[in-house]
């Protein structure tokens, strides 16, 4: 989980994995915590590959978490958030 020091408005997330090391993410779930403390699922999916963009309705969050299931090695993943 990542906790932000202020509310953020986001509408897209980019997940990346170093595909030259092999694909390791099988599934993912992204959850966000709103300013009032409620945690909800934002998006879920399968495989990330080089990069995966997921768009969703804009929402304000104070915290984000990404849960992964992996194939083989522990996955290395990059996360970028967009307004």
């Amino acid at each position: 989980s990542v906790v932000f020091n202020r509310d953020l408005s986001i509408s897209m997330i980019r997940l990346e994995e170093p595909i030259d090391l092999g694909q390791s993410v099988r599934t993912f779930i992204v959850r966000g915590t709103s300013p009032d403390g409620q945690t909800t699922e934002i998006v879920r999916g399968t495989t990330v590959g080089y990069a995966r963009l997921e768009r969703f309705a804009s929402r304000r969050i104070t915290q984000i978490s990404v849960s992964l299931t992996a194939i083989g090695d522990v996955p290395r993943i990059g996360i970028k958030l967009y307004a």
Side-chain angles (χ1 to χ4, degrees), residues 40-52:
T40 58
E41 184 177 303
I42 296 174
V43 67
R44 72 170 50 217
T46 60
T47 66
V48 172
Y50 172 74
R52 178 152 180 174

Side-chain angles (χ1 to χ4, degrees), residues 4 8-9 12 23-25 37-39 43-44 58 60 67 76 79-80:
F4 306 109
L8 296 179
S9 180
M12 186 168 63
Q23 185 170 321
S24 60
V25 175
Q38 286 204 331
T39 300
V43 67
R44 72 170 50 217
S58 183
R60 296 195 69 73
S67 301
R76 295 179 203 162
I79 301 168
K80 296 179 181 176

Side-chain angles (χ1 to χ4, degrees), residues 41-78:
E41 184 177 303
I42 296 174
V43 67
R44 72 170 50 217
T46 60
T47 66
V48 172
Y50 172 74
R52 178 152 180 174
L53 292 173
E54 291 285 345
R55 292 187 168 100
F56 43 86
S58 183
R59 63 187 68 213
R60 296 195 69 73
I61 61 168
T62 58
Q63 180 175 334
I64 195 162
S65 66
V66 179
S67 301
L68 307 170
T69 60
I71 303 168
D73 293 338
V74 175
R76 295 179 203 162
I77 192 161

